[in-house]
Amino acid sequence: MVERCTSRWIQYDIAIMNGMSGLQQVSDPQDKAAVAHVLRRMAFGPRPGQVDQRGGAGAVALVEELLAAPAAALVDPQLGTDDDKAAMVKWWVKRMSADDAGLVERMTWFWHTHLTSSFEKVEQARMMLGQHRLLYNNALGNFRELLQSITVDPAMLLYLDGAWSEGGAPNENYAREAMELFALGRGVYTEADVKAGARALAGWTVSDDGKASFDSTRAYDKDVTFLGKTGRLDTRAVIDTICDHPACAPHVVSKLYAHLVGTELTDARRDELAEIFRDSGLEIRPVVQNIVRHPEFLGTPARYARVRGPVEWRNATSAVLGINIDWNELWSMGQVPFWPPNVAGWPDQRRWLNAGVALQRAHIAHDSAWDSIAVDADDHAAWALERAGIYDASPATIDAITVAVARVEGRREKCTVALSLVVNATEFVLC
Amino acid sequence: MHRREFLKLGLVGAAGAAAATGIQAIPNRHRGSGSTSPASDSSPESSPDTQADTTIKQLAVAPAKSRPRTLVVIELDGGNDGLNTLVPMESGVYRDLRPATFLESKDLHKIADGFGLHPALARLAKRGIAAVAGVGVAKPDGSHFEMLHRWWMGDSGGDAGPQYGFLGRLADRIGDPHAPAVGIGLGDNFNPALSAAKVATIGLGDLSVVDLFAPKSDDAMLTAFQKGIDGLSRSPLASIPLAAPVASGMRLAVETASLLNTQSGEQKDLGGGDLGKALSQAARLLFADVGVRIIQVTMGGFDTHTGHRDQHAQLLRMFDEAVNGFLDELDSRGLGATTLVATTSEFGRRTADNGSNGLDHGAASCALLFGPVHAGVHGEQPPLDRLDDGGNLRTTVDLASYYATLASWLGVDPTGVLAGSPRALNGVLRT
């Protein structure tokens, strides 16, 4: 029995089961589309079949389920190989592609794109693993703690030159990027703040076996004035000052909102989220909860308002095709986990829409699809769209796939054409 | 295959400029029946099997007069240290300021009185470089992203807010709006510098992806795929804002690939790593004469906060080998006289060392030009004993003047593409 309810916020379907829960197939395409949207945004799905398996109670209930799911304990990858960096990438890509990859995995990915370090400069995989665990364990935790910890994380100390920075002639890289990118945004601090922050942060070193330690003989031993605060500031005080700055909460919530919702963030909504963030003591979970529980998260403007970056696209395409696309293909698309090209990560999602990346997607899809699954179907286009979790395809998308399928004969041929095209559809490239 | 044949196949349509930062998709790009490239009018129509022969025959030397002027920009990412690229040998304070990173006069390549080039630039020094000292902006900023943005957009003060990139604006002035690509970015994601209003510009990771769109009427699967991609790129839903840039990116991909896969001939190995590879592709694109007038390639690694000496030397060695090979290749194809090669970089490095054997972000740097230029030193070396408040070299040649020089090379009035009334530098170009 399906009952329609109107709440203060949103109209949603409640499937009321007699004695059974979560097993009813979702039949309303509107709701399937909403369920698919939730799985795209809060996880890396939907994998084929997941909309039916997990969406029985509707999209709103699924949001709660994903919020409540505990983080799985991380099992370290096998390192000490000839190519530990590749092993790390493969390990993480596999986790993101798992059936149960949920909100924690999604948020870990988000934090990696925001608080960046890269194998471009960090040589030891163990160090990146340490940072990765930090992000995973704090993905929905406390931002202040996260920023404190990552400031003295060995991989970050190497990546942004905190390591061996001396008080007398400090390296400015971390101070600058922590303010500009990680926590405050531009226009909020001065060059003098960068220099002062760099002085106050100096003194850290990283040992050959990847341990960070503080050497007070390398530290700056005088007062600094940093973001209006004067005194003998140590590392904790610098990061606290940054977190206490009024620009911090709005900056961080804006990034979270962009990643989860993708539509324009109004000043009022940003301030509302910033207040929640501050009131909670800079806890990330309450902000994320508010974002995904708000009606705008499921509303029409948020649908397909984000671009599936190469990592997300590769994961989703592998699932749809039923094969594993080699992670090395990500190089050609311009996004490899643990290898952001610079400290800004991959800031502009629209770059994934340019012709060069479109060509790569077509190339990868075409090369991979012959080995994908093959079934008999009356309508291969419809079959492919369902596998791809697209329940609201445009007429142009449906037509293009249908007409192309009609041009070939044979079950395998039809499936190949249908699948290779569906992963290039607008509704699959967007998310 | 003759270029016009592609227009008849219906593989081109009402697409717009490549989607990238801040670009609007142009909904109507009128396709006239005429094209304006004299060289391609003479190429014979041929079947796919003989195309290889035909294009190899086309690798004869083209007479210089029939070639339009082209521009190749090499973006040195991270902030190239101009002071160690073009060293003012007579400065009394150079060694004092840079105890860890100075270069010995005897190792430099002397190219003018009091000026020597970095030891690694051996081949290019011998060939002839036009080095412009003191290139920068009046109000420098220490942020990569702010300064990259200014260079990409040709916005020296950072406040003019142009909608399209500097190279895109040039492309709009000189390019054929019917050409599939007037500006191409190679080896990296699409660069905002190339974003244009009227003509098509595209980013290509690698030229080999274009093979996917070679017409093969006897391959039903491939043809179905090609037609499907074509269909998917049409009629984007107005209700999804991102659908239009998805579609236009795919359209441009299809058009450019369809054209380039038969026209670009063989790839030569120039040495010089990734830069050499990108420049080798650039040479093919220019020689194919399909309307590409501006090519941009990027070379990363110049953000030398630590380990400057070795890193900078290695980078400049690669640069020397790649660019020299490229200039040889251009000469052998008869393109040397009509191709200007110019570097850009977001800023130079700090005048003094930073105590981590590195150099922090700076301001003014030097720019290098090759090809139809007067070798030697141009502009004005900023004094090392009169630095700005940030300890950086003062700008003596504004970004706008440098860019005005590039504009005038292409026959574009600088005042039409740059704010203020900048004038091209005297004596740099052999016009």
Side-chain angles (χ1 to χ4, degrees), chain A residues 243 245-254 256 265-283 287 290-291:
Chain A
C243 289
H245 194 287
C248 181
H251 180 78
V252 177
V253 303
S254 302
L256 287 166
L265 178 61
T266 63
D267 286 356
R269 181 74 173 122
R270 184 202 59 208
D271 291 345
E272 183 187 1
L273 289 169
E275 201 179 318
I276 292 170
F277 197 37
R278 271 191 293 265
D279 287 350
S280 71
L282 300 185
E283 290 284 333
V287 177
N290 186 287
I291 288 173

PDB file of all heavy atoms in Angstrom, chain A residues 243 245-254 256 265-283 287 290-291:
ATOM      1  N   CYS A 243      40.276  28.933  12.630  1.00  0.00           N
ATOM      2  CA  CYS A 243      38.932  28.356  12.800  1.00  0.00           C
ATOM      3  C   CYS A 243      37.963  29.324  13.457  1.00  0.00           C
ATOM      4  O   CYS A 243      36.761  29.298  13.203  1.00  0.00           O
ATOM      5  CB  CYS A 243      39.004  27.075  13.623  1.00  0.00           C
ATOM      6  SG  CYS A 243      39.760  25.697  12.725  1.00  0.00           S
ATOM      7  N   HIS A 245      38.004  32.489  13.037  1.00  0.00           N
ATOM      8  CA  HIS A 245      37.756  33.640  12.164  1.00  0.00           C
ATOM      9  C   HIS A 245      36.342  33.544  11.595  1.00  0.00           C
ATOM     10  O   HIS A 245      35.902  32.474  11.184  1.00  0.00           O
ATOM     11  CB  HIS A 245      38.798  33.654  11.043  1.00  0.00           C
ATOM     12  CG  HIS A 245      38.849  34.943  10.291  1.00  0.00           C
ATOM     13  ND1 HIS A 245      37.870  35.333   9.408  1.00  0.00           N
ATOM     14  CD2 HIS A 245      39.761  35.942  10.299  1.00  0.00           C
ATOM     15  CE1 HIS A 245      38.169  36.515   8.902  1.00  0.00           C
ATOM     16  NE2 HIS A 245      39.322  36.904   9.424  1.00  0.00           N
ATOM     17  N   PRO A 246      35.620  34.677  11.553  1.00  0.00           N
ATOM     18  CA  PRO A 246      34.235  34.626  11.056  1.00  0.00           C
ATOM     19  C   PRO A 246      34.098  34.102   9.629  1.00  0.00           C
ATOM     20  O   PRO A 246      33.030  33.630   9.236  1.00  0.00           O
ATOM     21  CB  PRO A 246      33.758  36.085  11.137  1.00  0.00           C
ATOM     22  CG  PRO A 246      34.915  36.892  11.577  1.00  0.00           C
ATOM     23  CD  PRO A 246      35.982  35.998  12.070  1.00  0.00           C
ATOM     24  N   ALA A 247      35.151  34.169   8.851  1.00  0.00           N
ATOM     25  CA  ALA A 247      35.052  33.694   7.468  1.00  0.00           C
ATOM     26  C   ALA A 247      35.152  32.184   7.342  1.00  0.00           C
ATOM     27  O   ALA A 247      34.842  31.618   6.290  1.00  0.00           O
ATOM     28  CB  ALA A 247      36.142  34.342   6.620  1.00  0.00           C
ATOM     29  N   CYS A 248      35.573  31.525   8.424  1.00  0.00           N
ATOM     30  CA  CYS A 248      35.837  30.074   8.313  1.00  0.00           C
ATOM     31  C   CYS A 248      34.563  29.273   8.077  1.00  0.00           C
ATOM     32  O   CYS A 248      34.490  28.493   7.139  1.00  0.00           O
ATOM     33  CB  CYS A 248      36.567  29.588   9.566  1.00  0.00           C
ATOM     34  SG  CYS A 248      36.943  27.825   9.493  1.00  0.00           S
ATOM     35  N   ALA A 249      33.586  29.435   8.942  1.00  0.00           N
ATOM     36  CA  ALA A 249      32.368  28.620   8.819  1.00  0.00           C
ATOM     37  C   ALA A 249      31.688  28.795   7.463  1.00  0.00           C
ATOM     38  O   ALA A 249      31.355  27.806   6.810  1.00  0.00           O
ATOM     39  CB  ALA A 249      31.412  28.921   9.970  1.00  0.00           C
ATOM     40  N   PRO A 250      31.458  30.022   6.997  1.00  0.00           N
ATOM     41  CA  PRO A 250      30.827  30.170   5.682  1.00  0.00           C
ATOM     42  C   PRO A 250      31.645  29.540   4.562  1.00  0.00           C
ATOM     43  O   PRO A 250      31.093  28.951   3.628  1.00  0.00           O
ATOM     44  CB  PRO A 250      30.738  31.692   5.473  1.00  0.00           C
ATOM     45  CG  PRO A 250      30.987  32.310   6.788  1.00  0.00           C
ATOM     46  CD  PRO A 250      31.700  31.339   7.646  1.00  0.00           C
ATOM     47  N   HIS A 251      32.975  29.657   4.633  1.00  0.00           N
ATOM     48  CA  HIS A 251      33.818  29.105   3.576  1.00  0.00           C
ATOM     49  C   HIS A 251      33.659  27.589   3.508  1.00  0.00           C
ATOM     50  O   HIS A 251      33.449  27.021   2.438  1.00  0.00           O
ATOM     51  CB  HIS A 251      35.276  29.479   3.844  1.00  0.00           C
ATOM     52  CG  HIS A 251      36.241  28.974   2.824  1.00  0.00           C
ATOM     53  ND1 HIS A 251      36.415  29.565   1.587  1.00  0.00           N
ATOM     54  CD2 HIS A 251      37.107  27.926   2.844  1.00  0.00           C
ATOM     55  CE1 HIS A 251      37.331  28.909   0.904  1.00  0.00           C
ATOM     56  NE2 HIS A 251      37.770  27.913   1.635  1.00  0.00           N
ATOM     57  N   VAL A 252      33.741  26.929   4.655  1.00  0.00           N
ATOM     58  CA  VAL A 252      33.697  25.466   4.671  1.00  0.00           C
ATOM     59  C   VAL A 252      32.305  24.948   4.304  1.00  0.00           C
ATOM     60  O   VAL A 252      32.169  24.005   3.514  1.00  0.00           O
ATOM     61  CB  VAL A 252      34.145  24.919   6.041  1.00  0.00           C
ATOM     62  CG1 VAL A 252      34.018  23.409   6.080  1.00  0.00           C
ATOM     63  CG2 VAL A 252      35.586  25.329   6.324  1.00  0.00           C
ATOM     64  N   VAL A 253      31.254  25.579   4.830  1.00  0.00           N
ATOM     65  CA  VAL A 253      29.913  25.078   4.495  1.00  0.00           C
ATOM     66  C   VAL A 253      29.616  25.259   3.012  1.00  0.00           C
ATOM     67  O   VAL A 253      28.898  24.461   2.409  1.00  0.00           O
ATOM     68  CB  VAL A 253      28.791  25.691   5.372  1.00  0.00           C
ATOM     69  CG1 VAL A 253      29.063  25.436   6.849  1.00  0.00           C
ATOM     70  CG2 VAL A 253      28.564  27.163   5.099  1.00  0.00           C
ATOM     71  N   SER A 254      30.166  26.324   2.417  1.00  0.00           N
ATOM     72  CA  SER A 254      29.961  26.522   0.972  1.00  0.00           C
ATOM     73  C   SER A 254      30.530  25.361   0.169  1.00  0.00           C
ATOM     74  O   SER A 254      29.938  24.912  -0.807  1.00  0.00           O
ATOM     75  CB  SER A 254      30.637  27.801   0.486  1.00  0.00           C
ATOM     76  OG  SER A 254      30.143  28.909   1.175  1.00  0.00           O
ATOM     77  N   LEU A 256      30.995  22.283   1.251  1.00  0.00           N
ATOM     78  CA  LEU A 256      30.168  21.095   1.504  1.00  0.00           C
ATOM     79  C   LEU A 256      28.897  21.153   0.664  1.00  0.00           C
ATOM     80  O   LEU A 256      28.480  20.164   0.060  1.00  0.00           O
ATOM     81  CB  LEU A 256      29.805  21.023   2.995  1.00  0.00           C
ATOM     82  CG  LEU A 256      30.929  20.620   3.934  1.00  0.00           C
ATOM     83  CD1 LEU A 256      30.560  20.921   5.386  1.00  0.00           C
ATOM     84  CD2 LEU A 256      31.254  19.137   3.784  1.00  0.00           C
ATOM     85  N   LEU A 265      24.229  28.659  -3.798  1.00  0.00           N
ATOM     86  CA  LEU A 265      23.979  28.803  -2.372  1.00  0.00           C
ATOM     87  C   LEU A 265      23.650  30.258  -2.060  1.00  0.00           C
ATOM     88  O   LEU A 265      24.470  31.136  -2.268  1.00  0.00           O
ATOM     89  CB  LEU A 265      25.233  28.363  -1.601  1.00  0.00           C
ATOM     90  CG  LEU A 265      25.222  28.482  -0.079  1.00  0.00           C
ATOM     91  CD1 LEU A 265      24.124  27.630   0.521  1.00  0.00           C
ATOM     92  CD2 LEU A 265      26.574  28.064   0.468  1.00  0.00           C
ATOM     93  N   THR A 266      22.456  30.507  -1.571  1.00  0.00           N
ATOM     94  CA  THR A 266      22.095  31.889  -1.252  1.00  0.00           C
ATOM     95  C   THR A 266      22.830  32.317   0.021  1.00  0.00           C
ATOM     96  O   THR A 266      23.230  31.478   0.840  1.00  0.00           O
ATOM     97  CB  THR A 266      20.588  32.029  -0.993  1.00  0.00           C
ATOM     98  OG1 THR A 266      20.252  31.231   0.159  1.00  0.00           O
ATOM     99  CG2 THR A 266      19.768  31.571  -2.190  1.00  0.00           C
ATOM    100  N   ASP A 267      22.967  33.630   0.176  1.00  0.00           N
ATOM    101  CA  ASP A 267      23.639  34.148   1.370  1.00  0.00           C
ATOM    102  C   ASP A 267      22.920  33.696   2.626  1.00  0.00           C
ATOM    103  O   ASP A 267      23.537  33.311   3.621  1.00  0.00           O
ATOM    104  CB  ASP A 267      23.673  35.694   1.331  1.00  0.00           C
ATOM    105  CG  ASP A 267      24.697  36.196   0.329  1.00  0.00           C
ATOM    106  OD1 ASP A 267      25.418  35.361  -0.257  1.00  0.00           O
ATOM    107  OD2 ASP A 267      24.773  37.420   0.123  1.00  0.00           O
ATOM    108  N   ALA A 268      21.593  33.751   2.573  1.00  0.00           N
ATOM    109  CA  ALA A 268      20.812  33.399   3.758  1.00  0.00           C
ATOM    110  C   ALA A 268      21.024  31.939   4.152  1.00  0.00           C
ATOM    111  O   ALA A 268      21.216  31.610   5.328  1.00  0.00           O
ATOM    112  CB  ALA A 268      19.324  33.662   3.497  1.00  0.00           C
ATOM    113  N   ARG A 269      21.011  31.084   3.173  1.00  0.00           N
ATOM    114  CA  ARG A 269      21.189  29.645   3.439  1.00  0.00           C
ATOM    115  C   ARG A 269      22.611  29.367   3.911  1.00  0.00           C
ATOM    116  O   ARG A 269      22.821  28.566   4.832  1.00  0.00           O
ATOM    117  CB  ARG A 269      20.865  28.854   2.171  1.00  0.00           C
ATOM    118  CG  ARG A 269      20.974  27.363   2.310  1.00  0.00           C
ATOM    119  CD  ARG A 269      19.829  26.748   3.095  1.00  0.00           C
ATOM    120  NE  ARG A 269      19.926  25.295   3.040  1.00  0.00           N
ATOM    121  CZ  ARG A 269      20.014  24.503   4.110  1.00  0.00           C
ATOM    122  NH1 ARG A 269      20.002  25.019   5.325  1.00  0.00           N
ATOM    123  NH2 ARG A 269      20.105  23.188   3.971  1.00  0.00           N
ATOM    124  N   ARG A 270      23.563  30.058   3.306  1.00  0.00           N
ATOM    125  CA  ARG A 270      24.953  29.884   3.711  1.00  0.00           C
ATOM    126  C   ARG A 270      25.119  30.307   5.160  1.00  0.00           C
ATOM    127  O   ARG A 270      25.762  29.614   5.959  1.00  0.00           O
ATOM    128  CB  ARG A 270      25.877  30.713   2.812  1.00  0.00           C
ATOM    129  CG  ARG A 270      27.369  30.539   3.094  1.00  0.00           C
ATOM    130  CD  ARG A 270      28.161  31.725   2.591  1.00  0.00           C
ATOM    131  NE  ARG A 270      27.695  32.938   3.243  1.00  0.00           N
ATOM    132  CZ  ARG A 270      27.747  34.160   2.720  1.00  0.00           C
ATOM    133  NH1 ARG A 270      28.263  34.342   1.529  1.00  0.00           N
ATOM    134  NH2 ARG A 270      27.284  35.197   3.371  1.00  0.00           N
ATOM    135  N   ASP A 271      24.518  31.448   5.528  1.00  0.00           N
ATOM    136  CA  ASP A 271      24.628  31.924   6.900  1.00  0.00           C
ATOM    137  C   ASP A 271      23.953  30.971   7.865  1.00  0.00           C
ATOM    138  O   ASP A 271      24.426  30.753   8.986  1.00  0.00           O
ATOM    139  CB  ASP A 271      24.014  33.329   7.023  1.00  0.00           C
ATOM    140  CG  ASP A 271      24.848  34.369   6.281  1.00  0.00           C
ATOM    141  OD1 ASP A 271      26.014  34.054   5.931  1.00  0.00           O
ATOM    142  OD2 ASP A 271      24.335  35.473   6.033  1.00  0.00           O
ATOM    143  N   GLU A 272      22.830  30.398   7.409  1.00  0.00           N
ATOM    144  CA  GLU A 272      22.113  29.435   8.249  1.00  0.00           C
ATOM    145  C   GLU A 272      23.017  28.222   8.527  1.00  0.00           C
ATOM    146  O   GLU A 272      23.142  27.765   9.665  1.00  0.00           O
ATOM    147  CB  GLU A 272      20.851  28.995   7.499  1.00  0.00           C
ATOM    148  CG  GLU A 272      19.968  28.047   8.290  1.00  0.00           C
ATOM    149  CD  GLU A 272      18.801  27.507   7.439  1.00  0.00           C
ATOM    150  OE1 GLU A 272      18.700  27.869   6.240  1.00  0.00           O
ATOM    151  OE2 GLU A 272      18.025  26.717   7.968  1.00  0.00           O
ATOM    152  N   LEU A 273      23.643  27.714   7.494  1.00  0.00           N
ATOM    153  CA  LEU A 273      24.517  26.548   7.664  1.00  0.00           C
ATOM    154  C   LEU A 273      25.748  26.900   8.490  1.00  0.00           C
ATOM    155  O   LEU A 273      26.209  26.115   9.314  1.00  0.00           O
ATOM    156  CB  LEU A 273      24.933  25.992   6.296  1.00  0.00           C
ATOM    157  CG  LEU A 273      23.825  25.300   5.503  1.00  0.00           C
ATOM    158  CD1 LEU A 273      24.280  25.027   4.071  1.00  0.00           C
ATOM    159  CD2 LEU A 273      23.407  23.996   6.175  1.00  0.00           C
ATOM    160  N   ALA A 274      26.273  28.114   8.265  1.00  0.00           N
ATOM    161  CA  ALA A 274      27.453  28.539   9.027  1.00  0.00           C
ATOM    162  C   ALA A 274      27.127  28.608  10.509  1.00  0.00           C
ATOM    163  O   ALA A 274      27.951  28.250  11.362  1.00  0.00           O
ATOM    164  CB  ALA A 274      27.951  29.885   8.511  1.00  0.00           C
ATOM    165  N   GLU A 275      25.923  29.050  10.818  1.00  0.00           N
ATOM    166  CA  GLU A 275      25.534  29.150  12.225  1.00  0.00           C
ATOM    167  C   GLU A 275      25.431  27.757  12.846  1.00  0.00           C
ATOM    168  O   GLU A 275      25.868  27.536  13.982  1.00  0.00           O
ATOM    169  CB  GLU A 275      24.205  29.881  12.341  1.00  0.00           C
ATOM    170  CG  GLU A 275      23.992  30.459  13.731  1.00  0.00           C
ATOM    171  CD  GLU A 275      22.679  31.216  13.835  1.00  0.00           C
ATOM    172  OE1 GLU A 275      22.367  31.952  12.886  1.00  0.00           O
ATOM    173  OE2 GLU A 275      21.991  31.039  14.853  1.00  0.00           O
ATOM    174  N   ILE A 276      24.840  26.837  12.101  1.00  0.00           N
ATOM    175  CA  ILE A 276      24.759  25.451  12.594  1.00  0.00           C
ATOM    176  C   ILE A 276      26.164  24.917  12.855  1.00  0.00           C
ATOM    177  O   ILE A 276      26.438  24.272  13.874  1.00  0.00           O
ATOM    178  CB  ILE A 276      24.028  24.559  11.573  1.00  0.00           C
ATOM    179  CG1 ILE A 276      22.557  24.953  11.479  1.00  0.00           C
ATOM    180  CG2 ILE A 276      24.165  23.077  11.930  1.00  0.00           C
ATOM    181  CD1 ILE A 276      21.816  24.294  10.332  1.00  0.00           C
ATOM    182  N   PHE A 277      27.057  25.210  11.913  1.00  0.00           N
ATOM    183  CA  PHE A 277      28.439  24.730  12.015  1.00  0.00           C
ATOM    184  C   PHE A 277      29.104  25.292  13.264  1.00  0.00           C
ATOM    185  O   PHE A 277      29.708  24.578  14.059  1.00  0.00           O
ATOM    186  CB  PHE A 277      29.176  25.155  10.742  1.00  0.00           C
ATOM    187  CG  PHE A 277      30.461  24.431  10.462  1.00  0.00           C
ATOM    188  CD1 PHE A 277      30.631  23.081  10.736  1.00  0.00           C
ATOM    189  CD2 PHE A 277      31.529  25.118   9.875  1.00  0.00           C
ATOM    190  CE1 PHE A 277      31.819  22.427  10.438  1.00  0.00           C
ATOM    191  CE2 PHE A 277      32.712  24.465   9.568  1.00  0.00           C
ATOM    192  CZ  PHE A 277      32.863  23.129   9.857  1.00  0.00           C
ATOM    193  N   ARG A 278      28.979  26.596  13.457  1.00  0.00           N
ATOM    194  CA  ARG A 278      29.615  27.244  14.606  1.00  0.00           C
ATOM    195  C   ARG A 278      28.985  26.775  15.910  1.00  0.00           C
ATOM    196  O   ARG A 278      29.683  26.420  16.848  1.00  0.00           O
ATOM    197  CB  ARG A 278      29.488  28.760  14.505  1.00  0.00           C
ATOM    198  CG  ARG A 278      30.617  29.446  13.747  1.00  0.00           C
ATOM    199  CD  ARG A 278      30.548  30.943  13.934  1.00  0.00           C
ATOM    200  NE  ARG A 278      29.357  31.494  13.308  1.00  0.00           N
ATOM    201  CZ  ARG A 278      29.327  31.995  12.088  1.00  0.00           C
ATOM    202  NH1 ARG A 278      30.410  32.030  11.345  1.00  0.00           N
ATOM    203  NH2 ARG A 278      28.197  32.475  11.581  1.00  0.00           N
ATOM    204  N   ASP A 279      27.658  26.753  15.942  1.00  0.00           N
ATOM    205  CA  ASP A 279      26.961  26.379  17.183  1.00  0.00           C
ATOM    206  C   ASP A 279      27.326  24.970  17.633  1.00  0.00           C
ATOM    207  O   ASP A 279      27.317  24.680  18.835  1.00  0.00           O
ATOM    208  CB  ASP A 279      25.438  26.469  17.001  1.00  0.00           C
ATOM    209  CG  ASP A 279      24.955  27.911  16.952  1.00  0.00           C
ATOM    210  OD1 ASP A 279      25.773  28.816  17.241  1.00  0.00           O
ATOM    211  OD2 ASP A 279      23.774  28.125  16.618  1.00  0.00           O
ATOM    212  N   SER A 280      27.616  24.125  16.681  1.00  0.00           N
ATOM    213  CA  SER A 280      27.953  22.750  17.043  1.00  0.00           C
ATOM    214  C   SER A 280      29.415  22.613  17.423  1.00  0.00           C
ATOM    215  O   SER A 280      29.869  21.515  17.737  1.00  0.00           O
ATOM    216  CB  SER A 280      27.648  21.819  15.871  1.00  0.00           C
ATOM    217  OG  SER A 280      28.599  22.054  14.843  1.00  0.00           O
ATOM    218  N   GLY A 281      30.166  23.689  17.338  1.00  0.00           N
ATOM    219  CA  GLY A 281      31.601  23.597  17.594  1.00  0.00           C
ATOM    220  C   GLY A 281      32.369  23.100  16.388  1.00  0.00           C
ATOM    221  O   GLY A 281      33.378  22.412  16.512  1.00  0.00           O
ATOM    222  N   LEU A 282      31.879  23.467  15.204  1.00  0.00           N
ATOM    223  CA  LEU A 282      32.504  23.091  13.928  1.00  0.00           C
ATOM    224  C   LEU A 282      32.439  21.578  13.677  1.00  0.00           C
ATOM    225  O   LEU A 282      33.376  20.973  13.138  1.00  0.00           O
ATOM    226  CB  LEU A 282      33.952  23.602  13.804  1.00  0.00           C
ATOM    227  CG  LEU A 282      34.146  25.121  13.886  1.00  0.00           C
ATOM    228  CD1 LEU A 282      35.599  25.495  13.628  1.00  0.00           C
ATOM    229  CD2 LEU A 282      33.237  25.861  12.921  1.00  0.00           C
ATOM    230  N   GLU A 283      31.327  20.970  14.068  1.00  0.00           N
ATOM    231  CA  GLU A 283      31.087  19.558  13.732  1.00  0.00           C
ATOM    232  C   GLU A 283      30.516  19.471  12.320  1.00  0.00           C
ATOM    233  O   GLU A 283      29.590  20.201  11.967  1.00  0.00           O
ATOM    234  CB  GLU A 283      30.078  18.944  14.709  1.00  0.00           C
ATOM    235  CG  GLU A 283      30.633  18.768  16.118  1.00  0.00           C
ATOM    236  CD  GLU A 283      31.580  17.577  16.223  1.00  0.00           C
ATOM    237  OE1 GLU A 283      31.437  16.613  15.439  1.00  0.00           O
ATOM    238  OE2 GLU A 283      32.497  17.632  17.079  1.00  0.00           O
ATOM    239  N   VAL A 287      26.002  19.737   9.832  1.00  0.00           N
ATOM    240  CA  VAL A 287      25.857  20.522   8.596  1.00  0.00           C
ATOM    241  C   VAL A 287      25.403  19.617   7.458  1.00  0.00           C
ATOM    242  O   VAL A 287      24.466  19.931   6.724  1.00  0.00           O
ATOM    243  CB  VAL A 287      27.194  21.211   8.223  1.00  0.00           C
ATOM    244  CG1 VAL A 287      27.063  21.970   6.916  1.00  0.00           C
ATOM    245  CG2 VAL A 287      27.636  22.147   9.338  1.00  0.00           C
ATOM    246  N   ASN A 290      21.794  18.641   7.876  1.00  0.00           N
ATOM    247  CA  ASN A 290      20.874  19.708   7.511  1.00  0.00           C
ATOM    248  C   ASN A 290      20.765  19.836   5.992  1.00  0.00           C
ATOM    249  O   ASN A 290      19.678  20.014   5.440  1.00  0.00           O
ATOM    250  CB  ASN A 290      21.342  21.017   8.138  1.00  0.00           C
ATOM    251  CG  ASN A 290      20.327  22.127   7.916  1.00  0.00           C
ATOM    252  OD1 ASN A 290      20.186  22.644   6.811  1.00  0.00           O
ATOM    253  ND2 ASN A 290      19.601  22.485   8.960  1.00  0.00           N
ATOM    254  N   ILE A 291      21.912  19.708   5.320  1.00  0.00           N
ATOM    255  CA  ILE A 291      21.918  19.842   3.857  1.00  0.00           C
ATOM    256  C   ILE A 291      21.065  18.759   3.203  1.00  0.00           C
ATOM    257  O   ILE A 291      20.234  19.049   2.335  1.00  0.00           O
ATOM    258  CB  ILE A 291      23.371  19.794   3.328  1.00  0.00           C
ATOM    259  CG1 ILE A 291      24.114  21.092   3.693  1.00  0.00           C
ATOM    260  CG2 ILE A 291      23.385  19.595   1.815  1.00  0.00           C
ATOM    261  CD1 ILE A 291      25.600  21.068   3.361  1.00  0.00           C
TER     262      ILE A 291
END
